[in-house]
Amino acid sequence: MRDAATYLGISESTLYVWRHRRIGPPSFRLGPRGRVVYRRSALEGWLNEQEVSDSRSNITLSPLERHDKGFN
């Protein structure tokens, strides 16, 4: 978990909370009581999803770029 948190640039406690709230990147346990594992490809995919869904990174979602007709 430490490596995944470092990779994402967040604290381990934040990643722990995200995991339990099911809002963070996908993870799994190795064995019934094993350690929590994050695949690097899953971390990269999750980061890409966050970037695409953020209006600051995706101009098509930006409210500043709206071209609604009828408003001047």
Side-chain angles (χ1 to χ4, degrees):
M1 187 180 272
R2 180 181 305 136
D3 292 340
T6 299
Y7 182 81
L8 295 172
I10 60 173
S11 70
E12 286 183 68
S13 59
T14 296
L15 189 56
Y16 176 86
V17 169
W18 286 357
R19 175 172 160 46
H20 288 277
R21 290 184 182 172
R22 299 176 189 239
I23 60 173
S27 62
F28 60 95
R29 285 196 178 274
L30 289 176
R33 307 274 282 151
R35 68 184 181 110
V36 175
V37 177
Y38 293 84
R39 292 187 185 273
R40 185 177 302 268
S41 60
L43 294 174
E44 291 171 356
W46 185 81
L47 280 173
N48 288 334
E49 290 173 11
Q50 302 311 300
E51 183 178 22
V52 168
S53 66
D54 184 349
S55 64
R56 291 167 288 190
S57 299
N58 185 342
I59 198 161
T60 61
L61 299 175
S62 174
L64 301 175
E65 296 299 320
R66 287 187 138 174
H67 298 285
D68 295 335
K69 297 194 182 218
F71 295 99
N72 293 346

